[in-house]
């Protein structure tokens, strides 16, 4: 039941992507910075950072429109990916983008204002036929990467938003703030490996079970491991 609700939410989020596209856009943030403006996308990234202090990367399983796309893609390529290798690409892209963003703010003479609707004056992102090119372009990149790399391939390799979530998660952990996690009753585990197969983030869940909790920032709290474990080893909890 929980997975049906989750999939329903991210499917609606995916259907709403033509409306919300600009609020996730790294380009809109840069364009805002060039004018000294904090745009809607930058506000959203800040919101993601703050929520991840308490809820880790739950955004990636329960809210993000790209989560819906990744879930559908699992039916085509369900292969585990080399998370470490892809992380290098992702953080390289993020570093270049963040550096450019800061530079643009400096060149513009600092922050002059906040405009959540910057470049989205009609509130809806895809408001002209030309913008469908961007929309379909983003979808195509995510689909191709996930089909070719494997489970959530695009999330692991190019997502410019996940570093905000990882930073919030790490800050919460550092400050010992109570955080939502997947906890494990390791004594009940029979090492069947189902959780490893079901994890969309290619995490070796059965190894983390021995530690009593999934500790990695790659965990998106989807609950697939918990809902597929026949021995009820895994469950949501606060750490
Ligand atoms: S990694 Fe990025 S694209 Fe993937 S679900 Fe998370 S926020 Fe969305
Ligand atoms: S699915 Fe459950 S019993 Fe099987 S390895 Fe994972 S935690 Fe252990
Ligand atoms: S460890 Fe469990 S909750 Fe975390 S991403 Fe994997 S399946 Fe989802």
């Amino acid at each position: 039941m929980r997975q049906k609700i989750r999939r329903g939410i991210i499917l609606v989020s995916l259907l709403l992507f033509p409306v919300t596209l600009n609020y996730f856009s790294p380009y809109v943030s840069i364009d805002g910075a060039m004018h000294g403006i904090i745009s809607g996308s930058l506000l959203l990234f800040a919101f993601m950072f703050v929520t991840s202090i308490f809820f880790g990367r739950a955004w990636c399983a329960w809210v993000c429109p790209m989560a819906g796309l990744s879930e559908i893609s699992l039916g085509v390529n369900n292969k585990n990916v080399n998370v470490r290798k892809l992380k290098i690409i992702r953080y390289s892209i993020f570093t270049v983008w963040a550096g450019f963003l800061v530079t643009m703010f400096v060149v513009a003479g600092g922050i002059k204002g906040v405009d959540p609707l910057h470049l989205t004056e009609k509130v809806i992102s895809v408001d002209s036929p030309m913008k469908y090119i961007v929309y379909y372009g983003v979808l195509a990149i995510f689909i191709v990467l996930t089909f070719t790399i494997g489970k959530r391939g695009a999330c692991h390799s190019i997502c410019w938003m996940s570093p905000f979530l990882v930073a919030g998660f790490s800050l919460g952990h550092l400050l010992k703030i109570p955080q939502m996690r997947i906890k494990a009753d390791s004594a009940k585990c029979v090492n069947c490996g189902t959780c490893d197969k079901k994890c969309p983030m290619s995490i070796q869940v059965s190894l983390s079970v021995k530690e009593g909790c999934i500790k990695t920032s790659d965990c998106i709290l989807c609950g697939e491991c918990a809902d597929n474990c026949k021995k009820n080893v895994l469950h949501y909890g606060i750490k």
Side-chain angles (χ1 to χ4, degrees), residues 1 10 60 70 75 79 107 114 138 164-165 172 176 192 218:
M1 184 64 182
I10 54 178
C60 296
S70 302
K79 200 178 77 181
V107 171
V114 179
V138 174
F164 289 101
L165 297 166
K176 297 197 189 322
C192 67
D218 290 326

Side-chain angles (χ1 to χ4, degrees), residues 112-134:
K112 294 172 185 158
V114 179
D115 180 9
L117 296 181
H118 180 71
L119 293 188
T120 322
E121 285 71 22
K122 291 180 189 162
V123 182
I124 294 169
S125 303
V126 182
D127 58 359
S128 69
M130 278 304 284
K131 294 203 181 147
Y132 271 103
I133 297 173
V134 179

Side-chain angles (χ1 to χ4, degrees), residues 33 96-109:
V96 172
W97 174 78
F100 201 55
L101 184 81
V102 173
T103 308
M104 287 303 111
F105 269 120
V106 172
V107 171

Side-chain angles (χ1 to χ4, degrees), residues 184-186 188-196 205-207 209 225 228-234:
D185 187 351
S186 56
K188 288 196 219 161
C189 178
V190 293
N191 240 335
C192 67
T194 305
C195 49
D196 299 334
V205 185
S206 56
L207 291 181
V209 163
C225 53
N228 283 287
C229 175
K230 301 245 177 334
K231 297 290 173 187
N232 287 324
V233 174
L234 300 153

